[in-house]
Amino acid sequence: MPTWKDKLVQEVLRMILNAYYEPQFSHYSHGFRPERGCHTALETVRKTWTGTKWFIEGDIAQYFDTINHDVLMNIIGKHIDDGRVLRLLKGLLEAGYMEDWKFNRTYSGTPQGGVISPILSNIYLNEFDQWMKKTLIPEYTQGKKRRTHLPYARVNNKLSDMGKAGETEGVKALIKERRKHPSVDPHDPNYRRLFYIRYADDFLCGFAGTREEAEEIKQTIKVWMQDNLKLTLSDEKTLITHATKEAAKFLGYEVATQIVQDKLDVRGRRATNGNISLRVPAKVIEDKCAKYMRRGKIVHRAELRHETDFSIILKYQQEYRGIVQYYLLAPNVCWFQRLQRVMKISLLKTLANKYKSTSRKMLRKYEATVVMPDGKTLKCLQVKVTREGKDPLVAQFGGIALERKENIALKDDAQMPPWLLNGRNEILKRMLANECELCGSKKNIQVHHIRKMADLKKKGQRERPAWMEAMVAMKRKTLVVCRECHTNIHAGRPTSAK
């Protein structure tokens, strides 16, 4: 990790490089850029990749560790003539690192944890973006539109003749027959389209053509990257996927081309065929639910028993909201009803464990109803903390409509409570509360510190003491305690509980 002074220098360099390179970056790049992100990349795929037949999933093996310093400096040197800036950048890249008080040289890669790494990675792969735009995409783009599919045309002509003759018998059967055929030839040899999108070191190509040509594109990309950028594509993760029979993986979503013959628009035409669908993978739901389950049963989280009810509900909501809002582009976002149910039961069991009560009683105590902007009502769990002369603080779990959204803001601060957005330090907030986080006492409040989180790991102990469990749960190196609890911590004695 760079020192504070190095981070300051890197930030100044980042601002300079960003001001110069940002207008030159390709519109295919969405990673580490202002007003762009995962959702803008996914929305571009959904809206513009209609008719894709093959997906080429690209993944660069150990990208940030294998960036070639000489290649990177040559790329930057084409545009920046100031030798002082170039020497400073080269020094940052080759500074080396200390591990166990032993110096190690850096032969490749960008500074790990450095603020300048994202912009350097984008400058490096911008060469690939420009090559895709100017060379490979034009090479595999042919024709203005596909030719008419003959079986479809025959049925269509027959329907037209029947309409002119005034015949009505058998029309419905022919219309159903026509829907079995695509209106344009999916195997038209004179029509080709190649699409491309990139987020950091992950990229996705969509291709309308043959499997052989898709393999050829993959091999061409692999050779170009090795020859020009000294990078290697991961063979395990660089896959070719049939767009209609399987789903490609990109930025956590499943990406597939839809074929549905019986879904019609208001004009009676097939409205879905060829469109791109972004779906929630079933494994995402399973993995998230597994966090709140043991041996197939939903369990409480014992490490949160020292938190306030407000903090417990808020923590569950933050975890739930984070995953759900990321997948709101998916039409099957309703699958998160299962995760909501599992987390709600786990939350109720956590509160019940804290008060030695039952989940049913906790449900009656905290159940509430919220009204959505569209007028719908949703049930949730809610707790309010009253404040003298101010509006109460409200924490709730649930209250998020599981409906697909067309556009998602990259940063939605409007949904965050105002008190979470202020600049006041967390330790200061807890000190101002003037309450021991272990026993609830308000006398002789002090702060217990540890050197690092690794000190909380079990070292031959059967069970961690309560104060350790509290710090592990909150992921903090400080704990606000009363003098009695502080003395007991240092003496190795049990502390009191709220």
Side-chain angles (χ1 to χ4, degrees):
M1 296 293 290
T3 62
W4 182 86
K5 288 184 179 179
D6 284 348
K7 286 184 178 180
L8 182 61
V9 174
Q10 287 184 27
E11 174 60 19
V12 175
L13 282 171
R14 186 201 66 79
M15 294 169 66
I16 295 170
L17 293 174
N18 190 67
Y20 179 77
Y21 279 102
E22 177 59 33
Q24 303 178 44
F25 284 151
S26 169
H27 65 276
Y28 298 120
S29 170
H30 289 258
F32 312 124
R33 295 185 61 189
E35 303 301 323
R36 286 170 176 255
C38 296
H39 289 144
T40 58
L42 292 163
E43 277 288 90
T44 301
V45 172
R46 186 181 69 83
K47 291 179 178 179
T48 63
W49 287 28
T50 303
T52 298
K53 189 175 181 182
W54 300 98
F55 289 117
I56 304 170
E57 305 170 50
D59 185 88
I60 302 170
Q62 298 179 335
Y63 170 59
F64 287 93
D65 296 331
T66 57
I67 290 177
N68 188 283
H69 291 170
D70 293 333
V71 174
L72 177 59
M73 292 308 300
N74 287 336
I75 292 171
I76 297 176
K78 293 177 185 177
H79 305 277
I80 296 178
D81 298 328
D82 194 325
R84 294 168 299 177
V85 173
L86 295 177
R87 284 195 299 273
L88 183 56
L89 279 171
K90 192 172 180 64
L92 284 171
L93 292 171
E94 299 178 351
Y97 63 94
M98 294 286 289
E99 185 174 8
D100 294 330
W101 298 104
K102 182 181 178 182
F103 177 75
N104 299 271
R105 290 193 174 277
T106 307
Y107 298 100
S108 64
T110 54
Q112 296 296 304
V115 293
I116 201 172
S117 295
I119 184 70
L120 291 180
S121 68
N122 271 341
I123 292 171
Y124 199 78
L125 281 181
N126 186 54
E127 299 293 303
F128 177 58
D129 297 339
Q130 298 300 332
W131 175 73
M132 287 290 296
K133 176 183 178 181
K134 297 175 182 178
T135 304
L136 201 61
I137 291 178
E139 183 180 340
Y140 286 92
T141 301
Q142 303 173 25
K144 292 184 178 180
K145 63 178 182 179
R146 288 187 173 95
R147 67 188 180 188
T148 304
H149 196 216
L150 287 179
Y152 180 91
R154 292 192 191 102
V155 179
N156 208 36
N157 290 338
K158 192 171 182 179
L159 280 168
S160 179
D161 293 340
M162 291 176 68
K164 291 176 182 178
E167 299 178 21
T168 56
E169 188 176 350
V171 169
K172 289 185 178 180
L174 280 175
I175 291 175
K176 289 183 179 180
E177 175 67 24
R178 185 175 62 178
R179 287 183 193 148
K180 295 179 181 178
H181 308 287
S183 60
V184 292
D185 188 356
H187 305 293
D188 185 353
N190 298 318
Y191 181 88
R192 294 289 182 270
R193 286 293 183 275
L194 177 61
F195 306 101
Y196 165 71
I197 204 81
R198 179 177 66 83
Y199 184 92
D201 59 331
D202 291 333
F203 66 88
L204 184 68
C205 294
F207 181 59
T210 63
R211 170 78 189 223
E212 291 74 20
E213 289 172 307
E215 291 281 1
E216 186 179 296
I217 292 169
K218 174 185 171 182
Q219 190 62 29
T220 303
I221 291 173
K222 184 177 182 180
V223 171
W224 189 90
M225 278 199 167
Q226 182 63 48
D227 293 344
N228 294 273
L229 298 179
K230 312 299 181 187
L231 296 174
T232 304
L233 285 182
S234 172
D235 292 329
E236 295 179 357
K237 297 181 180 179
T238 304
L239 308 173
I240 295 178
T241 308
H242 195 289
T244 58
K245 297 179 181 178
E246 302 173 87
K249 303 291 191 302
F250 185 60
L251 299 180
Y253 276 78
E254 286 184 346
V255 186
T257 301
Q258 303 177 88
I259 298 294
V260 183
Q261 305 291 7
D262 55 354
K263 187 173 182 179
L264 309 177
D265 59 15
V266 292
R267 299 170 296 176
R269 298 179 181 179
R270 288 170 287 188
T272 305
N273 285 3
N275 292 343
I276 299 296
S277 174
L278 304 173
R279 301 195 296 258
V280 181
K283 193 174 186 306
V284 170
I285 309 290
E286 294 175 7
D287 291 345
K288 295 299 177 182
C289 289
K291 181 180 177 180
Y292 307 95
M293 302 180 75
R294 296 290 182 276
R295 299 177 183 176
K297 291 186 177 181
I298 304 171
V299 296
H300 69 281
R301 295 173 64 180
E303 71 273 14
L304 298 179
R305 63 179 178 267
H306 297 294
E307 294 274 7
T308 63
D309 297 358
F310 185 92
S311 299
I312 294 172
I313 292 178
L314 184 64
K315 186 174 184 64
Y316 270 85
Q317 177 71 347
Q318 288 172 340
E319 294 172 0
Y320 176 68
R321 180 180 58 206
I323 184 69
V324 169
Q325 288 191 340
Y326 181 74
Y327 283 102
L328 282 179
L329 288 174
N332 63 334
V333 68
C334 59
W335 286 11
F336 281 107
Q337 288 177 351
R338 180 189 171 195
L339 176 64
Q340 183 186 27
R341 173 184 167 275
V342 169
M343 291 186 69
K344 183 177 180 179
I345 294 174
S346 175
L347 171 57
L348 291 172
K349 286 188 174 183
T350 301
L351 293 170
N353 177 262
K354 175 182 176 179
Y355 291 108
K356 304 297 185 234
S357 182
T358 64
S359 299
R360 189 180 296 275
K361 289 181 180 178
M362 294 296 105
L363 178 63
R364 285 198 295 264
K365 181 178 179 181
Y366 294 113
E367 191 172 32
T369 302
V370 293
V371 180
M372 305 303 292
D374 58 0
K376 295 181 180 178
T377 58
L378 295 174
K379 288 186 177 180
C380 66
L381 299 178
Q382 192 177 90
V383 61
K384 294 183 179 181
V385 177
T386 57
R387 299 183 294 176
E388 187 176 350
K390 297 181 180 179
D391 293 334
L393 298 178
V394 180
Q396 70 178 37
F397 174 78
I400 300 176
L402 297 178
E403 298 174 355
R404 178 177 170 273
K405 290 186 177 180
E406 288 287 337
N407 299 298
I408 302 176
L410 291 176
K411 187 176 181 181
D412 190 5
D413 285 344
Q415 296 186 11
M416 296 291 287
W419 55 274
L420 281 179
L421 300 175
N422 63 33
R424 178 169 284 176
N425 188 284
E426 186 188 4
I427 183 69
L428 184 57
K429 293 178 188 175
R430 289 183 277 128
M431 285 294 292
L432 289 174
N434 200 37
E435 180 181 337
C436 175
E437 295 187 281
L438 295 177
C439 68
S441 172
K442 294 184 180 292
K443 297 180 180 178
N444 299 320
I445 298 301
Q446 302 173 355
V447 179
H448 175 64
H449 300 260
I450 60 170
R451 187 170 60 92
K452 56 183 179 179
M453 291 298 293
D455 294 341
L456 299 177
K457 291 182 179 179
K458 294 182 180 181
K459 299 178 181 179
Q461 305 177 44
R462 281 190 172 185
E463 186 177 352
R464 277 189 291 243
W467 66 269
M468 275 193 183
E469 290 286 358
M471 297 183 83
V472 168
M474 294 182 283
K475 296 180 182 179
R476 295 198 309 240
K477 294 190 289 185
T478 57
L479 192 68
V480 176
V481 292
C482 62
R483 178 184 243 167
E484 183 181 351
C485 288
H486 204 179
T487 303
N488 290 336
I489 288 173
H490 284 286
R493 294 190 294 266
T495 55
S496 303
K498 288 188 182 179

